Amino acid sequence: MIRIITFLALYSYLTPEPVYALQSHGEPEGLFAHQIAHILFSVSMIFLAYWLKSNNFTRERGWRLIQISCILFFIWNLVAFCGHYVEVKLPSKLIEGTGSGWDQALLLSGSPYSLYYYFLKMDHLICVPALACLFLGLRNLYKKTLMKVAADK
Amino acid sequence: MTGYYSLAPVWISDVVGSALMLIISFGAIYYAHRLRNAEPSSIIWMYLLVLSAALAGFSISRAVAHLAKHAMLMAGYPHMWEFFRPYTGAFNSIAFIVVASVTFFFPKVQKINSEILNDKRALEQATRDIKALNRDLEALVERRTRQLSVSERKYRGIFEGSMDTIFVLNQKFIFEDINPTGLSLLGYDSLEDFIGKISLADIFVSNSDHTQFLEDISRSGAIKDMECRIRNSSGAELVVLLSVTVTTKDLSRRTNYVGIAKDITVRRRMEKQLHQADRLASLGQTAAGVAHELNTPLGIILGYTQLLLRNCQESDALHSDLKIIEKQTNNCKRIVQDLLKFARNSETKKSDVDLIECFKEAISLFGHQFEKEGVIVETRFENNLPKVFADGEKLKQVLVNLLVNAKQAISGNGLIIVTMKLNPDRRAVIVSISDNGCGMSTDTVEKIFDPFFTTKPVGVGTGLGLSVSYGIIQAHGGALEVESEEGVGSTFHITLPLTDQNHQNIYPDNPQ
């Protein structure tokens, strides 16, 4: 074994070739990383929802609300994932006007993705309820915990 | 749907949604933080705080970025948004990864934390249990100690208060412990003089008892009610019933012996006296019968002898023969009278008798003879001795008999001590006559009151003196007892009961 390693080391040293230590990262990598993060986020939320259910946490209202929040975040992640995908696919010329969107318009007939893009861009309609459910769930748990702590005292 | 559609709804949802996310995410952080503070040890609240913080970070990044984007675009600085956009996107990605990582790891951490908490609770419970057990143990030990103390006091009380002797012997039969009754019985003042110094062999009178004891204890491991004679420190013999048991610490080693000795000396003496009294009563009845039967023919013989003597001259040869017949007949009659006295069938003339005067009259008969032969008579009379209701002459006869016997027991110089004292408990006067003569053996003492029993040479005595004395004292409701030790001397005790009147003369305030 030592002989083989020694041989390979000598061979590598005596026959040098160009190496590429640093890999270049093009523009799509950022989007891919973000999309993968969305996938991880969504999976983790489904996992949490399942874990809460399987460990009987959802008997309490607070945890039930958090479970709903998980499901909504899961859906939001799917929406965001699709939104990002559609945004890439949608030609920019289909959006008329400049600015932040208030005075912009979308040509729906310009691409099969136009309609999806229109609705998927309104992901806050899912994201905000998800966060609200988390908030309500935490508030409920806090109140119950306060009562429990008071009862223990 | 072929024309342009305004993106204003998208814009509105983006702006309003971003603002709401900012507000709600901070609300979530607030409650997660409060939850964490309420139960700092809870890993779940910690997780929710981290989750809320990551989501809040994402919300800030996203909401601020979106709001800034709209502001920058509306203000005509799209290049600024292009500058910030990668940062917000990257931060959002990181926030997602953080949320996902924390969520994936949380169940495992929660499980470990739960196990730790369970172990902690179990440890706390065990600590509480141990404390409770310790507390209970202390109480248990205290209770057991109290019970032991009560038990010890109880058994110590039995040991100390027992009227029988209780003792413990070691393997070599040396006394290890003895109760006060036993110590007193054996005549020792303190345990120090006794414990570890005296063995059972030291107190046995006879070797046969000792041998029998050792044989029985080695054979059966216990002895029950073995009657044996022991000797106390002053040399007095005692009769005891001995029960001994072997006590063992383990199955094989004998360590010591526990025993009880019941003193039956008095009982045995009483039984002996009762037996003797019965025997003497039986003898008395026989003697009385014989005496009555002999008295009449003796009277006739004496009568006819005296009639013949009246018609016979002194010079006549027959006269001296008749005189011999008369003398011997009179001797026979005296013996018959003595037998009747022994059998308590003779007449008594009772009156209040001063025993001291009675004694003086008795001693006056041969006091000078005693002095001449070197026998000193010492008197120890209690003051104010009451008179007794008795036949003075017969009491004098008893005293003379006992004094003569005492004198005869002393060969050469000697001492006779006459004691008279009142025994208030028995309501009697005790007269004791002691001598330092040759004493008597046990066998002799048992027969001393039998009629015609004598240790004197033939012709010196008839053997009726003590029998007559015994009969006289019995006839007065009293008792005549003897203590004797061979080579040491003898003591005769006369107990004469007091009448109520005599007793009242002494104790006028307390006649009973």
Side-chain angles (χ1 to χ4, degrees), chain A residues 38-54 66-78, chain B residues 47 99-100 103-104:
Chain A
H38 269 300
I39 292 167
L40 279 173
F41 190 7
S42 62
V43 173
S44 72
M45 287 298 104
I46 280 297
F47 173 76
L48 181 60
Y50 172 75
W51 186 84
L52 290 174
K53 174 76 178 169
S54 60
I66 290 174
Q67 189 190 35
I68 292 167
S69 165
C70 289
I71 293 165
L72 288 173
F73 268 121
F74 169 73
I75 295 167
W76 172 78
N77 273 294
L78 294 182
Chain B
Y47 162 71
V99 169
T103 303
F104 283 133

Side-chain angles (χ1 to χ4, degrees), chain A residues 27 30 33-34 36-38 40-41 43-45 47-48 51 57 63 66 73 76-77 93-96 99-102 104-109 115 117-118 121-125 127-128 131-132 134-135 138-139 141-143 145-146 148-149 152, chain B residues 1-14 17-18 20-22 24-25 27-29 31-32 34-35 38-39 44-45 47-48 51-52 55 58-59 62 66 69-71 73-74 85 89 92-93 96-97 99-100 103-104 106-107 110:
Chain A
E27 192 179 352
H34 189 76
I36 290 167
H38 269 300
L40 279 173
F41 190 7
V43 173
S44 72
M45 287 298 104
F47 173 76
L48 181 60
W51 186 84
F57 278 78
W63 286 110
I66 290 174
F73 268 121
W76 172 78
N77 273 294
K93 62 182 181 183
L94 294 180
I95 298 170
E96 190 182 63
S100 63
W102 174 253
Q104 287 181 319
L106 176 67
L107 182 62
L108 290 180
S109 58
L115 189 63
Y117 176 77
Y118 192 85
K121 279 297 263 185
M122 290 191 283
D123 63 327
H124 279 102
L125 295 175
C127 181
V128 171
L131 209 53
L134 177 68
F135 166 78
L138 286 168
R139 192 177 69 170
L141 288 175
Y142 174 64
K143 286 178 180 174
T145 303
L146 278 188
K148 197 182 104 186
V149 169
D152 287 347
Chain B
M1 298 186 58
T2 55
Y4 281 95
Y5 279 81
S6 173
L7 287 173
V10 174
W11 185 88
I12 291 168
S13 80
D14 201 16
S18 297
L20 283 173
M21 277 186 74
L22 268 177
I24 295 169
S25 64
I29 281 193
Y31 280 115
R34 297 294 297 269
L35 269 170
E39 287 181 327
I44 293 179
W45 305 148
Y47 162 71
L48 287 177
L51 182 71
S52 301
L55 287 173
F58 158 67
S59 300
R62 181 184 170 91
H66 281 212
K69 170 190 163 186
H70 289 299
L73 290 176
M74 286 175 79
R85 194 166 67 97
N92 289 350
S93 299
F96 295 162
I97 299 290
V99 169
T103 303
F104 283 133
F106 163 69
Q110 197 272 341

Side-chain angles (χ1 to χ4, degrees), chain B residues 272-273 275-284 287 338-339 342-343 405 440 442-455 461-471 480 482 492:
Chain B
K272 199 177 278 183
Q273 286 174 356
H275 173 70
Q276 191 176 30
D278 282 347
R279 194 164 53 83
L280 290 175
S282 175
L283 271 172
D338 284 346
L339 281 174
F342 165 66
N405 274 353
M440 293 175 282
T442 311
D443 290 342
T444 306
V445 167
E446 283 178 6
K447 298 173 189 167
I448 196 74
F449 297 117
D450 290 2
F452 304 111
F453 176 80
T454 181
T455 56
T462 58
L464 280 172
L466 284 174
S467 306
V468 169
S469 301
Y470 180 86
L480 178 58
V482 61
F492 284 85

Side-chain angles (χ1 to χ4, degrees), chain A residues 5-89:
Chain A
I5 291 168
T6 309
F7 172 75
L8 287 174
L10 283 172
Y11 180 79
S12 303
Y13 181 74
L14 294 173
T15 56
E17 286 184 6
V19 294
Y20 304 98
L22 287 174
Q23 183 184 349
S24 300
H25 298 284
E27 192 179 352
E29 280 190 24
L31 179 63
F32 286 2
H34 189 76
Q35 292 289 67
I36 290 167
H38 269 300
I39 292 167
L40 279 173
F41 190 7
S42 62
V43 173
S44 72
M45 287 298 104
I46 280 297
F47 173 76
L48 181 60
Y50 172 75
W51 186 84
L52 290 174
K53 174 76 178 169
S54 60
N55 284 281
N56 295 322
F57 278 78
T58 49
R59 285 176 184 171
E60 290 182 43
R61 179 180 152 79
W63 286 110
R64 243 185 348 259
L65 283 165
I66 290 174
Q67 189 190 35
I68 292 167
S69 165
C70 289
I71 293 165
L72 288 173
F73 268 121
F74 169 73
I75 295 167
W76 172 78
N77 273 294
L78 294 182
V79 168
F81 184 88
C82 295
H84 289 309
Y85 177 76
V86 168
E87 193 173 27
V88 172
K89 293 292 181 185

